[in-house]
Amino acid sequence: MRSVFFFKRHLSIVATTLAFSAHAALADPQHGIAMYGDPMLPPDFVSLPYANPDAPTGGRIVTGEVGSFDSLNPHIAKGSVPWQLRFLAYESLMGRNWDEPFTLYALLAESIEVGENREWVEFVIREEARFSDGSPVTVEDVMWSYETLGTVGHPRYHGAWNKIASMEQTGPRSIRFTFNEEDPEMALLIGMRPILKKAQWEGKEFDASGIDEIPISTAPYVIDDFEAGRFVSLKRNPDYWGKDVNFMRGQANLDEIRMEFYGDGTAMFEAFKAGALNSSREFSAEKWDTQYDFPAIDRGDVVKSVLPHERPSGMTGFVMNTRTPAFKDWRVRDAMLHAFNFEYINETMTGSKQPRITSYFSNSVLGMQDGAADGRVRELLEPFQDELLPGALDGYSLPQSDGSERNRANIRQAISMMEEAGYTIEDGRMVGPDGTPFTFEIVLKQGSTEEQSIIDLFVQALERMGITPTVTTIDNAQYRERVNAYDFDMTYNRWGLSLSPGNEQKLYWGCDGVEAEGTRNYMGMCSQAAEAMIDEILNSESRDDFIAATRALDRVLTTGRYVIPIYQWNISRIAHVKELKYPEELPIYGDWIGWQPNVWWWEEE
């Protein structure tokens, strides 16, 4: 097995980039911008540190996805879209270096300039920037893209658009955004919006889902072929405008990126073993150790690679929707956490080989600490102590079982919490004060084999409490529609979190998402404490304050008991044909390479 380990230099990179101080102004146009401090790379850098500028071009990567798709537009809320299109088929004014917590470098733009307090940001578009049809990228295209995304695009774009006081052309190729409130992250967020071709959408409904419109973009990959619900093929554009831009050297090396779609994980794995796919990311440690022993691996035609990372665990698990009567009471949610026998489930699913997610920012310096809150964290939380749930100030950890299937002690505690919430067991059923049985619906996406197996074990535990939930499995399109409308009691979700949390936290946990559809506030939480901690994160001017605010937010989220966490993936397991190569030196977001094959290349041995 090939394993790649981090060098100590990454620790210094994180420390340097997070060396917070007052936000320094960029007196002149610059080649990059960091959230705090200065960019790590100089203006004349050859390539990103984890890209191979000498990588050959050619070859293909074929990956599998469980589910289907009915749209090719990843920038709207409607429809089900291959998730990779958002990252592989579009470019922005600035590009992110995944070897720094949050730093951007010029891509479509040739420079960036900000005001003294980042109250405005100005970009100059590269003269050579072109769409895939050969037409130049204009200021008009940029302005149209920002307004369209900010008004009728996916809700993830709306928050930033609402903070723009003005957008104006300041030169033949320059555009300035002025903000209506102080938010130092906005200069970076604005640089990350996808740029679309205005002329392509004239007379058409941008927010209408469908597959009739092949997107025209500036990216090195264009959609070459597809069959709705079956596959999408991206081909490298031989006339790609940016191949000589230093940010792109060593990227977009493969001639084709192809995504095949399958009804379930079993069919997808069999396709990989048969050679229909040439790369597979494996989430199950147990399966990795026991089922990757087929002939292609024995011959050395397929190799197993392990890619570590240094980012937060994020939150993966079963989210409870507090908009519904079933989970409005935190004591009911606490009962679900006790009934969920993680230790037994982890042994059954992974052979206990994967550690549990303990909080939203666990596995990082940003995660909540054991025991009672103290110091600056406590100081930030105490004004909200009347709102906070038990454990936020005094200390909290997830329930642990003895590992046995019965989980008797935790089941007793779960029943006790249900009783505190007003429920009792009558004739073997958990009922409310009016005698109505307590039940709820768990909505899962078709093909989610692992989640279904976990839920089956969870349901068995609930039945011992007199609770029989309904498990509904639906196709990808129906699932996306219901989740966007928060039409579920419980469902499975993953929130990926970074070393530089910012405005996206409001999309995840902000009060606006209780009613506004299409956000990622699937639990329906509205916490003044969480809102305040996010504001503290956004306006921190020291490293200590930033870390304290994030740890405080982590306490609010974790003790809110909104999600039943499962195990974390602190490494990426990738099995791939031997011809597919990736750099020896990985970024701090090491698993980014596993998700996106930008810096992979094909090399015959």
Side-chain angles (χ1 to χ4, degrees):
M1 179 185 298
R2 176 186 176 193
S3 298
V4 183
F5 297 95
F6 288 99
F7 296 98
K8 291 182 179 178
R9 72 178 188 87
H10 288 108
L11 298 177
S12 63
I13 290 171
V14 175
T16 299
T17 309
L18 290 179
F20 289 68
S21 60
H23 305 298
L26 301 180
D28 299 303
Q30 302 289 318
H31 72 295
I33 182 173
M35 182 63 190
Y36 300 97
D38 298 319
M40 179 180 70
L41 304 178
D44 59 349
F45 71 92
V46 174
S47 66
L48 294 175
Y50 50 86
N52 176 8
D54 300 318
T57 57
R60 67 201 296 250
I61 187 169
V62 186
T63 62
E65 298 291 332
V66 173
S68 183
F69 67 93
D70 58 12
S71 174
L72 298 175
N73 187 349
H75 308 307
I76 59 175
K78 296 178 181 177
S80 178
V81 186
W83 66 268
Q84 297 95 329
L85 294 185
R86 180 180 163 200
F87 303 98
L88 295 174
Y90 294 88
E91 288 183 324
S92 49
L93 296 174
M94 308 290 289
R96 186 164 185 174
N97 176 15
W98 294 102
D99 208 29
E100 300 177 66
F102 195 8
T103 301
L104 307 180
Y105 293 92
L107 182 51
L108 284 171
E110 66 181 34
S111 66
I112 180 174
E113 183 178 0
V114 299
E116 182 178 359
N117 297 308
R118 293 190 178 178
E119 69 276 16
W120 56 263
V121 61
E122 183 167 316
F123 304 94
V124 178
I125 302 169
R126 293 183 191 270
E127 187 173 6
E128 67 271 28
R130 293 288 187 275
F131 288 103
S132 58
D133 64 355
S135 60
V137 178
T138 67
V139 171
E140 186 178 9
D141 289 314
V142 174
M143 296 178 76
W144 180 87
S145 297
Y146 279 70
E147 182 173 5
T148 300
L149 294 172
T151 53
V152 299
H154 194 281
R156 63 175 167 264
Y157 302 118
H158 296 182
W161 175 252
N162 293 334
K163 292 184 179 182
I164 296 175
S166 65
M167 176 176 64
E168 57 184 326
Q169 182 167 356
T170 54
R173 292 182 288 112
S174 59
I175 180 172
R176 175 177 290 197
F177 299 88
T178 302
F179 309 120
N180 56 28
E181 62 180 76
E182 186 174 327
D183 184 345
E185 189 185 34
M186 282 299 298
L188 285 82
L189 294 182
I190 291 299
M192 296 172 65
R193 292 293 179 260
I195 303 304
L196 315 173
K197 183 177 173 62
K198 177 184 177 183
Q200 179 180 14
W201 296 97
E202 288 180 346
K204 302 170 185 174
E205 293 185 52
F206 180 79
D207 59 344
S209 174
I211 56 175
D212 298 328
E213 200 69 34
I214 301 293
I216 298 174
S217 77
T218 65
Y221 289 101
V222 295
I223 296 177
D224 175 69
D225 193 13
F226 72 94
E227 183 178 339
R230 298 291 300 277
F231 75 90
V232 177
S233 172
L234 298 172
K235 291 290 182 69
R236 185 165 56 89
N237 180 4
D239 300 318
Y240 171 55
W241 73 272
K243 60 182 179 296
D244 295 323
V245 174
N246 54 0
F247 182 87
M248 290 303 300
R249 290 191 192 118
Q251 297 203 65
N253 307 307
L254 299 168
D255 281 347
E256 181 185 13
I257 300 174
R258 185 181 177 97
M259 296 152 277
E260 298 277 356
F261 289 77
Y262 296 88
D264 56 60
T266 300
M268 185 173 71
F269 185 58
E270 291 301 317
F272 174 62
K273 290 166 59 178
L277 309 177
N278 65 12
S279 178
S280 173
R281 183 175 185 183
E282 182 54 61
F283 291 97
S284 170
E286 177 71 11
K287 185 175 179 180
W288 180 258
D289 289 342
T290 60
Q291 297 187 36
Y292 281 75
D293 57 355
F294 45 91
I297 286 183
D298 296 337
R299 293 193 304 268
D301 295 334
V302 171
V303 296
K304 297 166 68 176
S305 296
V306 176
L307 287 66
H309 66 79
E310 297 178 13
R311 61 168 176 76
S313 63
M315 180 53 67
T316 301
F318 298 95
V319 57
M320 294 170 275
N321 187 356
T322 64
R323 301 173 186 84
T324 67
F327 296 124
K328 192 172 294 292
D329 193 315
W330 74 269
R331 293 167 297 188
V332 174
R333 304 196 299 273
D334 188 79
M336 297 299 106
L337 281 160
H338 278 87
F340 189 84
N341 190 353
F342 173 77
E343 285 69 29
Y344 176 74
I345 290 172
N346 194 27
E347 173 63 28
T348 302
M349 299 296 297
T350 78
S352 297
K353 293 176 181 177
Q354 292 185 204
R356 191 177 197 183
I357 293 170
T358 57
S359 73
Y360 290 67
F361 290 90
S362 61
N363 193 51
S364 78
V365 68
L366 303 179
M368 59 181 275
Q369 304 296 286
D370 292 338
D374 58 10
R376 180 62 173 151
V377 174
R378 191 173 195 91
E379 182 181 330
L380 289 169
L381 291 175
E382 279 186 334
F384 305 94
Q385 57 185 325
D386 292 341
E387 169 196 323
L388 297 173
L389 294 183
L393 287 171
D394 299 332
Y396 174 80
S397 59
L398 294 169
Q400 285 188 318
S401 75
D402 60 8
S404 67
E405 182 178 3
R406 300 299 296 176
N407 191 24
R408 287 187 173 89
N410 279 350
I411 291 293
R412 283 197 299 269
Q413 180 62 24
I415 292 172
S416 176
M417 295 305 296
M418 292 296 291
E419 289 174 348
E420 285 189 29
Y423 295 91
T424 57
I425 297 179
E426 296 180 4
D427 298 326
R429 295 188 306 172
M430 184 72 70
V431 298
D434 61 355
T436 302
F438 175 81
T439 188
F440 58 93
E441 183 187 24
I442 304 172
V443 178
L444 298 177
K445 183 167 56 177
Q446 193 172 29
S448 52
T449 308
E450 185 174 29
E451 295 92 86
Q452 182 69 62
S453 297
I454 294 173
I455 284 297
D456 288 344
L457 295 171
F458 182 40
V459 168
Q460 292 173 22
L462 292 174
E463 288 173 344
R464 293 199 291 273
M465 297 171 55
I467 300 171
T468 305
T470 299
V471 181
T472 302
T473 303
I474 52 181
D475 65 45
N476 198 49
Q478 290 178 298
Y479 176 80
R480 183 50 46 199
E481 183 177 344
R482 289 193 59 176
V483 168
N484 281 341
Y486 316 122
D487 182 16
F488 61 88
D489 294 318
M490 179 183 288
T491 191
Y492 175 86
N493 192 57
R494 169 170 171 75
W495 291 267
L497 298 174
S498 74
L499 290 166
S500 57
N503 277 281
E504 80 287 346
Q505 300 299 299
K506 292 190 175 181
L507 182 69
Y508 296 170
W509 336 115
C511 290
D512 289 346
V514 174
E515 295 185 359
E517 294 188 3
T519 75
R520 297 194 68 189
N521 184 356
Y522 299 128
M523 61 275 286
M525 63 177 285
C526 180
S527 164
Q528 297 308 308
E531 296 264 336
M533 296 311 107
I534 296 171
D535 288 339
E536 288 286 341
I537 290 170
L538 295 176
N539 295 292
S540 294
E541 294 187 354
S542 74
R543 178 177 183 273
D544 289 343
D545 275 354
F546 170 78
I547 292 176
T550 310
R551 288 177 175 175
L553 174 63
D554 202 12
R555 283 178 174 265
V556 176
L557 294 171
T558 304
T559 58
R561 298 159 171 85
Y562 300 112
V563 180
I564 303 172
I566 58 171
Y567 28 77
Q568 61 177 285
W569 291 274
N570 49 17
I571 58 174
S572 288
R573 301 174 179 89
I574 312 288
H576 54 89
V577 294
K578 64 181 186 298
E579 291 83 6
L580 283 170
K581 310 290 185 180
Y582 60 88
E584 289 286 339
E585 192 168 302
L586 299 181
I588 56 175
Y589 291 93
D591 64 337
W592 170 82
I593 290 180
W595 283 110
Q596 302 177 47
N598 302 59
V599 296
W600 290 65
W601 68 88
W602 186 276
E603 186 176 319
E604 301 282 353
E605 295 184 356

